Amino acid sequence: MGDTAHRKASSQEWLFKYRGISYPKMRCSLDTFEALQDFVARRDDMMLVSYPKCGTNWCLQILNDLAATVSASEEMKRNFDILEFGAADKYKKMETLPSPRVYATHLHHDNLPKDVIQNGTKKLVIFRNPKDTAVSLFHFHSKNPAVHTYNDWDEYFSEFISGNVVWGSYFDHAVIWNKHIEDENVMIITYEDLKENLAGGVQKIAEFFGLSLTEEQIRLIAERATFDRMKERSLETHGGFGQILFRKGDVGDWKNYFSEAQNREMDAKFEECLARTKLGKMMMYDMHCKY
Protein backbone atom coordinates (compact mmCIF):
# COMPACT_ATOMS: atom_id res chain seq x y z
CA MET A 1 0.00 0.00 0.00
CA GLY A 2 1.41 3.39 -1.03
CA ASP A 3 1.90 6.27 1.38
CA THR A 4 -1.12 8.23 0.10
CA ALA A 5 -3.39 5.19 0.25
CA HIS A 6 -2.18 4.40 3.76
CA ARG A 7 -2.92 7.95 4.89
CA LYS A 8 -6.44 7.73 3.47
CA ALA A 9 -7.13 4.35 4.97
CA SER A 10 -6.04 5.22 8.50
CA SER A 11 -6.89 8.88 8.93
CA GLN A 12 -8.22 8.36 12.46
CA GLU A 13 -4.79 7.11 13.49
CA TRP A 14 -3.30 10.45 12.43
CA LEU A 15 -5.63 12.68 14.43
CA PHE A 16 -6.75 13.19 18.01
CA LYS A 17 -9.27 15.56 19.52
CA TYR A 18 -8.75 18.11 22.28
CA ARG A 19 -11.70 20.22 23.42
CA GLY A 20 -13.65 19.07 20.38
CA ILE A 21 -11.04 20.09 17.76
CA SER A 22 -8.90 17.70 15.68
CA TYR A 23 -5.09 17.93 15.71
CA PRO A 24 -2.36 15.91 13.93
CA LYS A 25 -0.68 13.37 16.20
CA MET A 26 2.68 13.84 14.46
CA ARG A 27 2.77 17.49 15.56
CA CYS A 28 0.67 17.69 18.72
CA SER A 29 -0.08 15.56 21.77
CA LEU A 30 -2.43 15.53 24.74
CA ASP A 31 0.57 15.93 27.08
CA THR A 32 1.66 19.07 25.22
CA PHE A 33 -1.81 20.61 25.36
CA GLU A 34 -2.05 19.93 29.09
CA ALA A 35 1.41 21.42 29.71
CA LEU A 36 0.47 24.42 27.56
CA GLN A 37 -2.11 25.48 30.15
CA ASP A 38 0.78 26.36 32.49
CA PHE A 39 2.77 28.23 29.85
CA VAL A 40 4.45 31.33 31.31
CA ALA A 41 3.96 34.30 28.98
CA ARG A 42 5.83 37.61 28.93
CA ARG A 43 4.45 41.05 28.18
CA ASP A 44 7.11 41.57 25.50
CA ASP A 45 6.50 38.26 23.70
CA MET A 46 5.74 38.68 19.99
CA MET A 47 2.84 36.30 19.45
CA LEU A 48 1.29 35.46 16.09
CA VAL A 49 -2.16 33.90 15.75
CA SER A 50 -3.45 32.42 12.50
CA TYR A 51 -5.70 29.74 11.12
CA PRO A 52 -3.49 27.31 9.14
CA LYS A 53 -2.33 28.52 5.69
CA CYS A 54 -3.32 32.13 6.34
CA GLY A 55 0.25 33.48 6.28
CA THR A 56 1.80 31.90 9.37
CA ASN A 57 5.34 31.39 8.09
CA TRP A 58 5.23 34.70 6.25
CA CYS A 59 4.46 36.64 9.42
CA LEU A 60 6.89 34.55 11.47
CA GLN A 61 9.61 35.62 9.05
CA ILE A 62 8.65 39.26 9.61
CA LEU A 63 8.45 38.93 13.41
CA ASN A 64 11.74 37.05 13.68
CA ASP A 65 13.41 39.65 11.46
CA LEU A 66 12.00 42.49 13.57
CA ALA A 67 13.20 40.80 16.76
CA ALA A 68 16.67 40.22 15.28
CA THR A 69 16.89 43.85 14.19
CA VAL A 70 15.97 45.38 17.55
CA SER A 71 18.22 42.95 19.41
CA ALA A 72 21.16 43.95 17.19
CA SER A 73 21.70 40.29 16.37
CA GLU A 74 22.75 39.59 12.80
CA GLU A 75 20.77 36.37 12.80
CA MET A 76 18.60 35.72 15.83
CA LYS A 77 17.99 32.04 16.49
CA ARG A 78 14.49 31.02 15.42
CA ASN A 79 12.26 30.45 18.41
CA PHE A 80 9.71 27.67 18.79
CA ASP A 81 7.45 28.46 15.86
CA ILE A 82 4.08 26.87 16.67
CA LEU A 83 3.23 26.92 20.35
CA GLU A 84 1.19 23.70 20.35
CA PHE A 85 3.76 21.68 18.36
CA GLY A 86 6.37 19.39 19.93
CA ALA A 87 7.04 17.76 23.28
CA ALA A 88 5.56 18.86 26.59
CA ASP A 89 8.95 19.90 28.00
CA LYS A 90 9.39 22.64 25.37
CA TYR A 91 7.79 25.30 27.58
CA LYS A 92 10.48 24.97 30.22
CA LYS A 93 13.07 25.44 27.50
CA MET A 94 11.25 28.51 26.27
CA GLU A 95 11.69 30.11 29.69
CA THR A 96 15.44 30.28 28.97
CA LEU A 97 15.05 32.16 25.68
CA PRO A 98 15.98 35.85 25.58
CA SER A 99 13.35 38.49 24.92
CA PRO A 100 11.67 39.25 22.68
CA ARG A 101 10.48 35.69 22.10
CA VAL A 102 8.66 34.98 18.84
CA TYR A 103 6.09 32.21 18.51
CA ALA A 104 2.84 31.41 16.73
CA THR A 105 -0.31 29.43 17.35
CA HIS A 106 -3.32 28.21 15.38
CA LEU A 107 -5.54 28.22 18.47
CA HIS A 108 -8.57 30.45 18.73
CA HIS A 109 -8.80 32.92 21.60
CA ASP A 110 -10.73 30.71 24.00
CA ASN A 111 -8.08 27.97 23.88
CA LEU A 112 -5.03 30.19 24.48
CA PRO A 113 -3.01 29.64 27.68
CA LYS A 114 -4.52 31.77 30.45
CA ASP A 115 -1.17 33.48 31.13
CA VAL A 116 -1.14 34.91 27.59
CA ILE A 117 -4.37 36.73 28.40
CA GLN A 118 -3.57 37.72 31.97
CA ASN A 119 -0.09 39.08 31.19
CA GLY A 120 -1.31 41.30 28.37
CA THR A 121 0.85 39.59 25.75
CA LYS A 122 0.37 41.28 22.38
CA LYS A 123 -1.20 39.12 19.70
CA LEU A 124 -0.85 39.78 15.98
CA VAL A 125 -3.73 37.95 14.27
CA ILE A 126 -3.69 37.40 10.50
CA PHE A 127 -6.67 36.32 8.39
CA ARG A 128 -6.84 35.23 4.77
CA ASN A 129 -10.01 35.01 2.68
CA PRO A 130 -11.69 31.62 3.21
CA LYS A 131 -11.63 30.54 -0.44
CA ASP A 132 -7.86 30.86 -0.87
CA THR A 133 -7.37 29.39 2.60
CA ALA A 134 -9.36 26.29 1.66
CA VAL A 135 -7.40 25.76 -1.58
CA SER A 136 -4.04 26.26 0.15
CA LEU A 137 -5.00 23.80 2.90
CA PHE A 138 -6.13 21.25 0.33
CA HIS A 139 -2.68 21.28 -1.29
CA PHE A 140 -1.02 21.23 2.14
CA HIS A 141 -2.93 18.05 2.97
CA SER A 142 -1.98 16.51 -0.36
CA LYS A 143 1.75 16.97 0.26
CA ASN A 144 2.13 16.80 4.04
CA PRO A 145 2.93 13.37 5.53
CA ALA A 146 1.92 14.59 9.01
CA VAL A 147 -1.79 14.78 8.12
CA HIS A 148 -4.16 12.56 6.18
CA THR A 149 -5.07 13.33 2.59
CA TYR A 150 -8.33 13.45 0.63
CA ASN A 151 -9.56 11.79 -2.54
CA ASP A 152 -10.06 15.09 -4.36
CA TRP A 153 -10.88 18.77 -4.01
CA ASP A 154 -14.63 18.15 -3.80
CA GLU A 155 -14.21 15.85 -0.81
CA TYR A 156 -11.93 18.32 0.93
CA PHE A 157 -14.24 21.27 0.29
CA SER A 158 -17.13 19.43 1.93
CA GLU A 159 -15.02 18.80 5.03
CA PHE A 160 -13.66 22.36 5.14
CA ILE A 161 -17.04 24.06 4.89
CA SER A 162 -18.33 21.75 7.64
CA GLY A 163 -15.33 22.47 9.88
CA ASN A 164 -14.29 18.81 9.99
CA VAL A 165 -10.60 19.53 9.41
CA VAL A 166 -7.47 19.85 11.54
CA TRP A 167 -7.58 22.89 13.84
CA GLY A 168 -11.34 22.96 13.41
CA SER A 169 -13.65 25.35 11.62
CA TYR A 170 -12.19 28.41 9.88
CA PHE A 171 -15.44 30.22 10.57
CA ASP A 172 -15.55 29.34 14.27
CA HIS A 173 -11.98 30.60 14.55
CA ALA A 174 -12.90 33.86 12.81
CA VAL A 175 -16.12 34.46 14.76
CA ILE A 176 -14.33 34.05 18.09
CA TRP A 177 -11.46 36.37 17.13
CA ASN A 178 -13.93 38.96 15.85
CA LYS A 179 -15.17 39.28 19.43
CA HIS A 180 -11.67 40.46 20.41
CA ILE A 181 -10.99 42.72 17.43
CA GLU A 182 -10.91 45.84 19.63
CA ASP A 183 -8.93 44.33 22.52
CA GLU A 184 -6.01 46.56 23.51
CA ASN A 185 -3.39 43.85 22.94
CA VAL A 186 -4.80 42.48 19.67
CA MET A 187 -3.97 43.65 16.15
CA ILE A 188 -5.76 42.01 13.22
CA ILE A 189 -4.35 42.23 9.70
CA THR A 190 -5.29 40.50 6.47
CA TYR A 191 -3.16 38.47 4.11
CA GLU A 192 -4.49 40.47 1.18
CA ASP A 193 -3.59 43.85 2.70
CA LEU A 194 -0.10 42.59 3.46
CA LYS A 195 0.28 41.45 -0.16
CA GLU A 196 -0.88 44.87 -1.35
CA ASN A 197 1.55 46.88 0.80
CA LEU A 198 4.19 44.73 2.48
CA ALA A 199 6.44 47.55 3.71
CA GLY A 200 3.45 49.42 5.12
CA GLY A 201 2.31 46.26 6.88
CA VAL A 202 5.76 45.66 8.38
CA GLN A 203 5.75 49.24 9.68
CA LYS A 204 2.35 48.78 11.34
CA ILE A 205 3.42 45.48 12.90
CA ALA A 206 6.58 47.07 14.30
CA GLU A 207 4.58 49.94 15.78
CA PHE A 208 2.08 47.53 17.34
CA PHE A 209 4.88 45.74 19.17
CA GLY A 210 6.43 49.05 20.23
CA LEU A 211 9.52 48.68 18.04
CA SER A 212 11.26 51.70 16.56
CA LEU A 213 12.97 51.01 13.24
CA THR A 214 14.32 53.20 10.47
CA GLU A 215 12.74 53.35 7.02
CA GLU A 216 15.76 51.47 5.65
CA GLN A 217 15.36 48.68 8.21
CA ILE A 218 11.66 48.36 7.37
CA ARG A 219 12.48 48.23 3.65
CA LEU A 220 15.06 45.48 4.10
CA ILE A 221 12.73 43.38 6.27
CA ALA A 222 9.97 43.74 3.67
CA GLU A 223 12.33 42.72 0.85
CA ARG A 224 13.36 39.59 2.75
CA ALA A 225 9.70 38.73 3.39
CA THR A 226 8.48 38.64 -0.22
CA PHE A 227 7.08 35.25 -1.26
CA ASP A 228 9.75 34.75 -3.93
CA ARG A 229 12.60 35.46 -1.50
CA MET A 230 11.13 33.17 1.15
CA LYS A 231 10.56 30.37 -1.36
CA GLU A 232 14.14 30.70 -2.63
CA ARG A 233 15.44 30.30 0.95
CA SER A 234 12.90 27.66 2.03
CA LEU A 235 15.39 24.77 1.91
CA GLU A 236 17.72 26.73 4.19
CA THR A 237 15.00 27.91 6.58
CA HIS A 238 12.62 24.92 6.63
CA GLY A 239 14.51 21.99 5.10
CA GLY A 240 12.53 19.65 2.86
CA PHE A 241 9.31 20.87 4.46
CA GLY A 242 9.77 24.19 2.68
CA GLN A 243 8.50 22.62 -0.56
CA ILE A 244 5.24 21.83 1.25
CA LEU A 245 4.87 25.23 2.91
CA PHE A 246 5.56 27.50 -0.04
CA ARG A 247 3.38 26.84 -3.12
CA LYS A 248 2.00 30.00 -4.80
CA GLY A 249 1.15 32.60 -2.18
CA ASP A 250 -1.35 34.19 -4.57
CA VAL A 251 -4.63 35.98 -3.98
CA GLY A 252 -7.43 34.55 -6.14
CA ASP A 253 -6.12 31.03 -6.83
CA TRP A 254 -9.52 29.74 -5.60
CA LYS A 255 -10.97 30.61 -9.03
CA ASN A 256 -9.14 27.58 -10.45
CA TYR A 257 -10.93 25.17 -8.07
CA PHE A 258 -14.37 26.35 -6.95
CA SER A 259 -17.46 25.16 -8.81
CA GLU A 260 -20.50 27.45 -9.05
CA ALA A 261 -22.23 25.42 -6.35
CA GLN A 262 -19.19 25.62 -4.06
CA ASN A 263 -19.01 29.37 -4.63
CA ARG A 264 -22.62 29.77 -3.58
CA GLU A 265 -22.11 27.59 -0.52
CA MET A 266 -19.03 29.50 0.65
CA ASP A 267 -20.69 32.86 -0.01
CA ALA A 268 -23.69 31.80 2.07
CA LYS A 269 -21.43 30.61 4.91
CA PHE A 270 -19.53 33.90 4.93
CA GLU A 271 -22.79 35.86 4.87
CA GLU A 272 -24.10 33.85 7.82
CA CYS A 273 -20.97 34.05 9.98
CA LEU A 274 -18.95 37.16 9.11
CA ALA A 275 -20.53 39.52 6.58
CA ARG A 276 -21.92 41.94 9.16
CA THR A 277 -18.92 41.84 11.51
CA LYS A 278 -15.95 44.20 11.73
CA LEU A 279 -13.62 41.38 10.75
CA GLY A 280 -15.81 40.50 7.78
CA LYS A 281 -15.63 44.08 6.52
CA MET A 282 -11.83 44.11 6.95
CA MET A 283 -11.58 41.02 4.75
CA MET A 284 -13.16 42.81 1.74
CA TYR A 285 -14.88 39.60 0.67
CA ASP A 286 -16.62 41.10 -2.36
CA MET A 287 -13.27 42.20 -3.78
CA HIS A 288 -11.31 39.01 -3.14
CA CYS A 289 -13.96 36.27 -3.27
CA LYS A 290 -16.31 37.23 -6.09
CA TYR A 291 -15.80 36.89 -9.84
Side-chain angles (χ1 to χ4, degrees):
M1 182 182 292
D3 179 62
T4 299
H6 173 72
R7 287 160 62 197
K8 289 177 181 174
S10 58
S11 63
Q12 293 306 310
E13 297 178 11
W14 295 77
L15 302 172
F16 78 97
K17 284 198 172 184
Y18 181 74
R19 295 183 177 178
I21 296 177
S22 295
Y23 298 97
K25 289 182 180 179
M26 288 184 68
R27 293 287 183 263
C28 309
S29 71
L30 181 60
D31 288 345
T32 301
F33 274 99
E34 290 177 344
L36 180 57
Q37 302 313 306
D38 296 320
F39 173 70
V40 179
R42 300 175 190 167
R43 286 189 64 85
D44 62 354
D45 283 346
M46 299 172 67
M47 184 177 190
L48 172 68
V49 181
S50 70
Y51 189 80
K53 302 308 293 178
C54 283
T56 311
N57 287 281
W58 189 17
C59 283
L60 276 174
Q61 161 74 26
I62 293 169
L63 293 185
N64 272 290
D65 221 349
L66 285 170
T69 301
V70 299
S71 67
S73 170
E74 189 170 311
E75 186 172 351
M76 188 176 183
K77 182 181 178 182
R78 288 175 61 86
N79 291 341
F80 295 86
D81 287 352
I82 307 297
L83 202 56
E84 59 268 27
F85 282 7
D89 64 352
K90 66 182 285 183
Y91 308 114
K92 290 295 183 184
K93 296 176 182 177
M94 288 184 72
E95 292 178 14
T96 67
L97 292 174
S99 292
R101 299 183 303 183
V102 175
Y103 50 85
T105 182
H106 296 315
L107 302 177
H108 63 59
H109 185 278
D110 295 354
N111 285 340
L112 293 177
K114 60 181 181 297
D115 210 40
V116 168
I117 307 301
Q118 294 172 354
N119 274 1
T121 301
K122 290 186 176 182
K123 294 164 280 293
L124 174 68
V125 188
I126 184 168
F127 277 95
R128 186 181 193 180
N129 80 71
K131 291 183 179 179
D132 280 330
T133 299
V135 168
S136 187
L137 261 175
F138 169 67
H139 286 285
F140 184 72
H141 274 269
S142 300
K143 298 177 182 178
N144 186 359
V147 293
H148 75 285
T149 192
Y150 294 85
N151 290 314
D152 52 33
W153 159 249
D154 290 341
E155 181 189 17
Y156 181 77
F157 175 83
S158 178
E159 294 294 280
F160 180 88
I161 203 77
S162 302
N164 298 322
V165 290
V166 287
W167 277 280
S169 165
Y170 168 98
F171 289 98
D172 287 351
H173 179 90
V175 166
I176 291 171
W177 275 106
N178 179 70
K179 296 177 182 178
H180 299 277
I181 198 169
E182 294 183 351
D183 287 8
E184 180 182 3
N185 295 311
V186 170
M187 175 184 174
I188 292 183
I189 61 173
T190 68
Y191 185 100
E192 293 77 17
D193 282 350
L194 207 54
K195 286 282 288 187
E196 181 71 21
N197 184 2
L198 183 52
V202 171
Q203 179 66 51
K204 290 177 181 177
I205 292 169
E207 291 172 356
F208 172 67
F209 285 107
L211 307 178
S212 180
L213 281 76
T214 66
E215 289 186 9
E216 177 66 8
Q217 289 172 323
I218 293 293
R219 184 187 66 80
L220 290 173
I221 290 172
E223 284 183 358
R224 289 192 289 265
T226 64
F227 182 83
D228 288 343
R229 285 286 297 274
M230 290 185 65
K231 189 169 185 177
E232 286 173 5
R233 298 182 62 236
S234 62
L235 183 62
E236 174 190 344
T237 57
H238 295 84
F241 201 60
Q243 295 181 346
I244 297 174
L245 291 174
F246 301 99
R247 191 178 66 92
K248 285 187 175 181
D250 290 340
V251 176
D253 190 38
W254 62 268
K255 296 174 184 177
N256 298 314
Y257 295 86
F258 275 65
S259 67
E260 291 185 10
Q262 289 166 347
N263 259 323
R264 290 194 297 269
E265 190 172 359
M266 182 69 85
D267 291 349
K269 187 72 172 180
F270 185 88
E271 179 69 23
E272 173 193 353
C273 297
L274 293 171
R276 287 168 292 280
T277 67
K278 290 186 177 181
L279 175 57
K281 291 178 174 62
M282 282 184 64
M283 294 172 72
M284 301 179 69
Y285 189 86
D286 285 351
M287 175 182 291
H288 301 300
C289 292
K290 298 290 181 68
Y291 284 109

